[in-house]
Amino acid sequence: MIDRPKLTLERTFKASIEDVWELWTTKEGIESWWGPEGFSVVVRKLDLRPCGDLVYAMSAEGPEQIDYMVQAGMPLLTQHTLTFTDVDPPRRLAYRDMADFIPGVEPYEVDTVIELNEVEDGVHMVLTVDAMHDERWTRLAVMGRESELRRLEEVLAARTREN
């Protein structure tokens, strides 16, 4: 395995640590925000424990995303499996998945760690993830993660308004 640099994204959410944890670790939570804008996710299996798997299907649904996937020679629906490496409710979640969707690139592992800490206004989240195999794909991955985190923030904000 090649040692790649780590990337860190941080957010502070006006939410309880339990709500943030639930959105990262339940079928309903994951399906409500996971994946970049213009994509949807359906969880097929969720075994939340070290060495347990999350299996999900991700579909491109937005017109721009469909066009991009077609032009890149990538399928509109992909199945993904990640394996949890650390589950410490409600503070730490880590998993390993395979970057096996990039045309012409040998699949490789990507590690992700989510750390949650209660702060005065809510929850501070630190997401640390391996960089991709090159600068272009790392930029695309960061854009995807940023989009996901915007969706997560929107779901948490909607929950806060409901309560």
Side-chain angles (χ1 to χ4, degrees), residues 14-28:
K14 291 184 187 230
S16 71
I17 196 168
E18 292 80 15
D19 279 351
V20 178
W21 180 260
E22 179 187 330
L23 291 176
W24 275 102
T25 60
T26 65
K27 178 183 188 319
E28 296 77 17

Side-chain angles (χ1 to χ4, degrees), residues 95-161:
Y95 59 84
R96 175 171 294 141
D97 61 342
M98 292 295 292
D100 58 0
F101 52 86
I102 305 166
V105 174
E106 192 70 28
Y108 57 92
E109 294 178 336
V110 178
D111 287 331
T112 301
V113 177
I114 299 97
E115 295 172 300
L116 304 175
N117 292 293
E118 291 174 292
V119 294
E120 189 176 322
D121 287 3
V123 179
H124 184 73
M125 182 197 72
V126 178
L127 185 148
T128 306
V129 62
D130 289 336
M132 302 296 279
H133 65 281
D134 69 19
E135 202 173 298
R136 175 178 176 265
W137 278 95
T138 296
R139 252 190 336 271
L140 290 171
V142 168
M143 287 170 50
R145 292 287 181 143
E146 293 280 0
S147 178
E148 281 182 331
L149 295 179
R150 279 191 300 276
R151 292 179 72 185
L152 175 58
E153 192 165 23
E154 289 167 6
V155 170
L156 286 165
R159 281 183 167 203
T160 302
R161 284 191 300 271

Side-chain angles (χ1 to χ4, degrees), residues 16-86:
S16 71
I17 196 168
E18 292 80 15
D19 279 351
V20 178
W21 180 260
E22 179 187 330
L23 291 176
W24 275 102
T25 60
T26 65
K27 178 183 188 319
E28 296 77 17
I30 292 165
E31 289 177 347
S32 72
W33 69 273
W34 195 287
E37 202 66 45
F39 289 83
S40 68
V41 164
V42 175
V43 173
R44 307 264 192 239
K45 175 185 172 190
L46 176 58
D47 183 9
L48 186 65
R49 62 181 175 86
C51 299
D53 291 333
L54 166 63
V55 179
Y56 64 95
M58 183 180 292
S59 304
E61 294 188 339
E64 290 175 24
Q65 290 76 12
I66 291 170
D67 287 347
Y68 175 81
M69 299 297 278
V70 168
Q71 289 175 9
M74 299 169 72
L76 299 182
L77 172 68
T78 53
Q79 178 117 337
H80 300 273
T81 300
L82 61 83
T83 302
F84 295 106
T85 55
D86 190 11

